[in-house]
Amino acid sequence: MDFDLPDTALAVREGVAAVAAKYDHAYWSRCEDEHRFPAEAWRDLADGGWVGLCVPEEYSGGGAGMLELAVACETLAASGGTAGTFLYILTPGFGAMTLARHGTEEQRRRILPGVATGETQFCMALTEPDAGSNAIEIATTARVDGDELVLRGQKVWISGVENAAWMLVIARSTQAAEAKERLGSRTAGFTIALVDVPAALAAGTLSYTPIPKLGGNIVTSSQVFLDDVRVPLSNVVGEVDEGFAVLWDVLNPERILAAAGGVGGAEAALRLAVDYATEREVFGRPIGANQGIAFPLAQLKAKVELARLMTYKAAWLFDQGRPCGNETSVAKLTAAQVAWEAADRAFQTFGGMAYSKEYPVERLFRDSRIGKNIPVSEELVLAHIGTQMLGLPRSY
């Protein structure tokens, strides 16, 4: 059993850290306050090859795997760009990883070189207003019409539409009840389509409305409306009615990257708290000398290390083509929890000054909270662990 990171992952950590060092907390706070995409950081990451990491080499990418991608995401978040987790989920995760594993040769040749250079960005549309976390019951339809797929429905909390060239849309080509009767399973009947976002916007068949939100405003999250969006069947990822197997290979990377971002975010918050506790003196000594300050930070450091270990394990299993659902769930749960706890403890360490925008603690506090709800809620993760890992009876 070898716990050393491979040289490829170490090189990624070093390379991303070198780029991230150019963008301090103040930069990320400005992007957040201005609701502005961090275009400068994105361009530098892309130019260094750190966006196209998992694009296969034959399409001008780095040919790396999930482990290297997780290390890149963690490193960016740890530098202070905690919302930068979205950057790695949206394009390398949803885009490059999905097409590398499930795209046709034509799709990969047409799209992946742009992903490798950072020119092409992705988003994914799964969540719906009425289905929520129950993806089986999504209502967006995909109807075959000749050599095209016609998409109709509504999605919500879709991040990054404003910059995306392509949107992965998950729709029902066969409704759940019919799928169970005709195809043998309620998870059958899903189809995943690549929507050309600029073309659909120009045609007036796709529109979106931004949702005002608490944090993570370096990317917009929107309601998306699909009004008979027409997609060539050549843009289907996988097969019509058989998209659920593809979907798992979209959702597991999303959760692994969310976990990696949580680990990095926790490290960023801890570093702020430790530096402040070392420098701030009250009653003639640094406040970090007080066990009431030091012990909670030490406890969180231990939790960060545990979350990192499980995140790397989940990523490694994914790269090996082995089942990783349980490990992914544990990684996502623990990383989200420690990111929130670390931001909260940093807030407490700074005291009242944490409430001021003079310090980045308030941004980390806001960025970290959403991780307990997305990309899957803490309660659903616990339900999975309870039923799948402990063998407890289902409640439904």
Side-chain angles (χ1 to χ4, degrees):
M1 185 177 294
D2 186 356
F3 287 94
D4 288 329
L5 283 176
D7 290 343
T8 51
L10 293 174
V12 167
R13 177 181 286 167
E14 181 179 349
V16 173
V19 172
K22 298 166 56 179
Y23 301 97
D24 58 9
H25 280 285
Y27 170 83
W28 293 102
S29 292
R30 283 196 304 274
C31 290
E32 171 68 20
D33 291 343
E34 296 168 6
H35 291 205
R36 181 173 71 83
F37 184 76
E40 303 87 356
W42 176 258
R43 175 45 47 203
D44 276 355
L45 288 166
D47 288 347
W50 312 122
V51 168
L53 278 170
C54 61
V55 173
E57 292 179 359
E58 57 265 40
Y59 308 106
S60 305
M66 193 70 238
L67 179 59
E68 287 81 5
L69 201 58
V71 169
C73 182
E74 176 196 344
T75 304
L76 181 63
S79 75
T82 47
T85 301
F86 283 105
L87 306 186
Y88 274 100
I89 288 176
L90 295 177
T91 296
F94 292 156
M97 190 65 72
T98 302
L99 290 185
R101 285 192 163 223
H102 298 285
T104 65
E105 173 59 26
E106 189 277 332
Q107 289 168 356
R108 293 195 292 263
R109 183 165 32 82
R110 175 162 46 104
I111 298 172
L112 287 181
V115 174
T117 63
E119 297 298 324
T120 299
Q121 294 190 43
F122 265 77
C123 64
M124 183 181 77
L126 170 62
T127 307
E128 296 185 3
D130 295 327
S133 297
N134 187 5
I136 298 295
E137 299 296 336
I138 63 172
T140 296
T141 58
R143 174 175 56 87
V144 176
D145 182 20
D147 61 355
E148 292 183 315
L149 203 64
V150 182
L151 302 173
R152 188 170 189 82
Q154 181 180 349
K155 301 291 186 177
V156 70
W157 290 112
I158 310 308
S159 297
V161 183
E162 71 280 11
N163 294 313
W166 295 97
M167 177 188 292
L168 278 178
V169 176
I170 293 84
R172 271 285 189 186
S173 40
T174 302
Q175 294 306 303
E178 183 186 351
K180 185 174 183 180
E181 180 179 340
R182 183 167 64 85
L183 302 175
S185 171
R186 293 172 70 237
T187 62
F190 284 90
T191 297
I192 299 179
L194 283 164
V195 171
D196 183 328
V197 174
L201 288 171
T205 56
L206 185 149
S207 59
Y208 64 93
T209 303
I211 302 170
K213 57 181 181 174
L214 180 68
N217 286 299
I218 67 168
V219 294
T220 300
S221 297
S222 300
Q223 296 185 73
V224 172
F225 305 91
L226 305 157
D227 297 310
D228 292 337
V229 176
R230 303 190 78 86
V231 178
L233 285 176
S234 59
N235 278 8
V236 170
V237 181
E239 302 291 336
V240 173
D241 272 344
E242 298 179 10
F244 203 76
V246 178
L247 183 58
W248 275 120
D249 263 1
V250 178
L251 297 181
N252 278 329
E254 180 186 25
R255 296 172 191 186
I256 292 168
L257 291 172
V263 170
E267 285 283 15
L270 276 178
R271 178 45 51 198
L272 286 172
V274 167
D275 288 349
Y276 188 78
T278 301
E279 297 165 2
R280 172 68 168 162
E281 292 191 3
V282 179
F283 303 121
R285 64 179 183 273
I287 62 172
N290 299 312
Q291 292 178 351
I293 298 292
F295 283 6
L297 296 176
Q299 180 70 63
L300 284 168
K301 179 59 176 174
K303 291 183 178 180
V304 169
E305 294 301 320
L306 292 171
R308 177 182 289 112
L309 191 62
M310 186 55 74
T311 300
Y312 289 178
K313 181 180 180 181
W316 181 84
L317 287 169
F318 183 87
D319 285 337
Q320 301 304 309
R322 293 167 58 179
C324 61
N326 291 341
E327 291 79 7
T328 298
S329 292
V330 173
K332 190 273 169 187
L333 176 75
T334 55
Q337 288 178 340
V338 76
W340 168 246
E341 291 171 16
D344 184 57
R345 178 50 53 181
F347 203 113
Q348 197 66 21
T349 302
F350 273 72
M353 290 307 298
Y355 213 61
S356 168
K357 280 184 172 289
E358 179 183 351
Y359 295 99
V361 178
E362 57 84 28
R363 173 173 56 81
L364 270 60
F365 190 78
R366 288 183 287 118
D367 283 350
S368 67
R369 183 56 183 86
I370 192 59
K372 287 166 66 68
N373 294 83
I374 65 167
V376 61
S377 72
E378 188 171 278
E379 290 77 12
L380 281 178
V381 175
L382 290 169
H384 172 88
I385 293 172
T387 57
Q388 301 302 310
M389 298 178 70
L390 295 177
L392 292 168
R394 290 177 179 269
S395 61
Y396 52 91

